[in-house]
Amino acid sequence: MSDFLRIGRRKLVSLGGMSLLLAACGRGSVQTQIEQKLFELSDPLNRSFEQLLFSSQRLAPEFQRQEIEPEALLVNTAEDFPPQIDPGTYRLTVGGLVKKPVSLSLEEIRKLPYRSEIIRHVCVEGWAAIVQWGGLPLVELLKFVQPKPEARYVFFRSAEGFRNSQGELYGFYETWDLASCVHPQTVMAYEKNFKPLPASNGAPMRLASPIKLGYKQIKWVTEIMLLAALPEQLGYWVDFGYEWYGGI
Amino acid sequence: MTAQATPRKPAIPKQALAAKAFHWVNLVALFAMMGSGLQIYNANPVFGGRAGYHFPDFLLLGGWLAGGRHWHFFFMWVFGLNLLWYGLYVFFTRRWKNRYAGKNDLEALQKSTNPRRRNYAVHRLVYTAFIPVLLLALLTGLGMWKPVQFGWIVAMFGGWQALRTVHFLTIPTVLGLMAVHSLLALNVGQWKLVRSMFT
């Protein structure tokens, strides 16, 4: 029996050692190298798998009005304060590879088709909230500007910025694949929980969709561009290391 | 006559190469999944939200949330595919027929007075229990990764928070099963039996 206990401890120590070794791999420059390698190996596989599962026509589950969780939706901004945009002078410009580039006021956007949906918003951090978004389906806006056949990706620019230690402002931006943009539940939202969208959630207009993680749903959108290929800068969080596709 | 008088040495246990490979890959993948999983957990703890208990750094893998996700999604494939080929191996070699705990083991636990038979039955129950728990970890993980594409998984567990809780609880369950499995193996075959699974 004593033999049994002694070996038991040794086994436990070796298991502990293995986890420490793995944990040590998880930090410092070695960590960055290994993590980068693992990401390079698995991200293409993950992305193909995600795109294989995805259908532009299959709808995400929608919920009842009483299931909305008003407190669960947390506010995340890159800056300490959300941009304050005057809805009266706000304009959304849509350009790039389109036949009919436009610059729209909020009033003009409100006259375009409207969709309301109560969906689960899932954050990369792990939390989720059932929330209502109301606004212009992105597919309708795309039909309105008539994308050229070579357009495959969509670039979004936000009014939000990020300041470095010198106080310089860096842009906040995001890119999406066209298939996800034409999904019927992807909307340019100006309404949250049946009320006008608050500034902290991206007023006057944000991207909202149940099919992508929260960090892909860019707020305070001011400009949309259609592109043939992905630019070098993919998105604010993506350029920090989050996966680009981010589908759920 | 003289040959019968010499005491017999206990046989050195031998394991199939496939069983060894499965054990190694599974052990490494599980610890990598746990370390990176706790890294992801810390971004917004299942219990208590952002203000909830955060696990200390030495248990974490990946450095930050995106890094933890990269480790987790890489080892998700290692872990899942390892489980798959193990399933195929057990199926095609027909080991499934007598490898796992069955009615006779439950009966032995109730009726048998032979301590070795009882011990054996417990051991078979423990390692049989690994299979549903590991599959549960995979299923709940898939539901969290793709809650839209696999909405039925989220619905099956009754909601998002319940899904996260079950996924998290597979960690202590697997660790517990691992401890009991190792201790029982040590009890039956000492260190050399455990070693034979890995070398």
Side-chain angles (χ1 to χ4, degrees):
Chain A
M1 196 61 189
S2 68
D3 191 42
F4 163 70
L5 282 175
R6 182 173 57 81
I7 292 159
R9 268 202 305 276
R10 193 195 295 167
K11 175 95 199 286
L12 283 177
V13 167
S14 76
L15 286 178
M18 188 182 292
S19 66
L20 276 179
L21 188 75
L22 280 166
C25 294
R27 269 187 287 282
S29 64
V30 181
Q31 170 247 306
T32 318
Q33 280 171 18
I34 297 179
E35 179 205 309
Q36 205 48 45
K37 204 81 218 145
L38 296 182
F39 183 56
E40 280 166 24
L41 284 169
S42 60
D43 190 53
L45 186 61
N46 291 337
R47 201 188 287 187
S48 321
F49 182 68
E50 291 185 85
Q51 281 169 326
L52 190 73
L53 289 175
F54 179 73
S55 155
S56 283
Q57 297 315 312
R58 195 187 315 118
L59 296 185
E62 296 198 18
F63 299 84
Q64 299 298 312
R65 198 175 174 138
Q66 63 271 19
E67 291 177 280
I68 291 175
E69 302 162 310
E71 303 305 317
L73 188 76
L74 303 179
V75 175
N76 279 317
T77 57
E79 278 198 288
D80 292 338
F81 51 90
Q84 301 293 325
I85 300 170
D86 176 7
T89 57
Y90 169 82
R91 295 198 84 81
L92 174 70
T93 61
V94 188
L97 297 171
V98 296
K99 290 182 191 136
K100 232 181 80 185
V102 289
S103 170
L104 300 165
S105 70
L106 261 183
E107 222 160 288
E108 289 168 317
I109 291 166
R110 281 182 215 275
K111 283 181 194 139
L112 291 169
Y114 166 86
R115 179 189 168 92
S116 169
E117 61 194 21
I118 302 171
I119 53 100
R120 185 186 280 117
H121 177 102
V122 179
C123 179
V124 67
E125 291 176 348
W127 57 266
I130 292 173
V131 57
Q132 182 264 356
W133 299 119
L136 163 66
L138 185 53
V139 64
E140 299 295 339
L141 179 63
L142 292 175
K143 277 186 208 161
F144 189 73
V145 296
Q146 299 169 22
K148 292 180 180 171
E150 61 268 32
R152 288 187 58 208
Y153 298 97
V154 181
F155 175 91
F156 302 89
R157 193 191 303 281
S158 168
E160 182 184 25
F162 180 74
R163 285 169 206 280
N164 68 10
S165 52
Q166 277 81 48
E168 292 165 306
L169 194 70
Y170 284 91
F172 194 101
Y173 49 93
E174 191 56 69
T175 51
W176 277 44
D177 56 306
L178 200 55
S180 299
C181 289
V182 301
H183 188 274
Q185 289 166 307
T186 299
V187 296
M188 298 307 299
Y190 46 77
E191 192 181 271
K192 183 195 117 184
N193 296 344
F194 302 102
K195 292 196 183 95
L197 188 69
S200 57
N201 292 116
M205 177 136 336
R206 67 168 292 163
L207 189 56
S209 179
I211 59 162
K212 295 273 190 199
L213 284 169
Y215 68 86
K216 297 293 289 180
Q217 299 176 35
I218 184 169
K219 293 176 269 203
W220 307 286
V221 177
T222 55
E223 190 186 350
I224 297 174
M225 294 251 289
L226 278 87
L227 310 171
L230 280 173
E232 200 175 320
Q233 289 181 300
L234 295 171
Y236 180 83
W237 285 112
V238 178
D239 292 339
F240 267 111
Y242 284 68
E243 61 269 24
W244 170 74
Y245 192 74
I248 58 174
Chain B
M1 291 300 265
T2 48
Q4 278 177 348
T6 46
R8 274 192 304 160
K9 268 192 169 181
I12 296 165
K14 279 210 170 115
Q15 310 296 342
L17 185 66
K20 289 181 191 177
F22 175 74
H23 268 79
W24 263 117
V25 177
N26 206 26
L27 197 65
V28 171
L30 273 172
F31 275 105
M33 292 300 275
M34 285 179 196
S36 55
L38 291 180
Q39 179 83 55
I40 299 167
Y41 176 99
N42 270 2
N44 193 80
V46 174
F47 308 106
R50 281 181 183 174
Y53 175 76
H54 287 69
F55 285 93
D57 270 3
F58 73 93
L59 290 174
L60 310 181
L61 194 53
W64 69 304
L65 176 56
R69 284 173 64 88
H70 297 163
W71 281 83
H72 212 66
F73 291 130
F74 176 86
F75 278 99
M76 164 189 80
W77 290 107
V78 176
F79 171 71
L81 292 174
N82 190 47
L83 214 55
L84 177 68
W85 80 252
Y86 170 75
L88 294 174
Y89 164 76
V90 164
F91 180 76
F92 284 109
T93 57
R94 301 187 182 194
R95 279 172 161 77
W96 60 274
K97 280 186 177 168
N98 47 24
R99 178 109 314 185
Y100 302 112
K103 222 169 71 187
N104 51 347
D105 294 296
L106 291 174
E107 278 170 6
L109 279 178
Q110 285 167 343
K111 293 177 195 155
S112 175
T113 48
N114 177 355
R116 290 187 66 176
R117 179 65 187 96
R118 293 176 64 89
N119 198 327
Y120 185 63
V122 171
H123 205 168
R124 280 162 67 90
L125 277 174
V126 168
Y127 73 67
T128 304
F130 265 111
I131 313 263
V133 174
L134 295 183
L135 288 175
L136 185 67
L138 206 61
L139 181 78
T140 50
L142 195 61
M144 279 164 68
W145 186 34
K146 308 260 94 197
V148 172
Q149 312 307 329
F150 297 111
W152 57 272
I153 299 180
V154 188
M156 197 169 121
F157 290 89
W160 182 258
Q161 191 58 17
L163 182 72
R164 290 184 81 204
T165 306
V166 174
H167 189 65
F168 176 80
L169 288 179
T170 57
I171 303 183
T173 311
V174 164
L175 283 177
L177 284 175
M178 248 186 215
V180 177
H181 179 54
S182 310
L183 292 177
L184 286 170
L186 282 166
N187 206 5
V188 169
Q190 282 87 50
W191 178 242
K192 60 180 184 295
L193 174 64
V194 175
R195 201 178 45 196
S196 74
M197 264 302 172
F198 292 97
T199 55

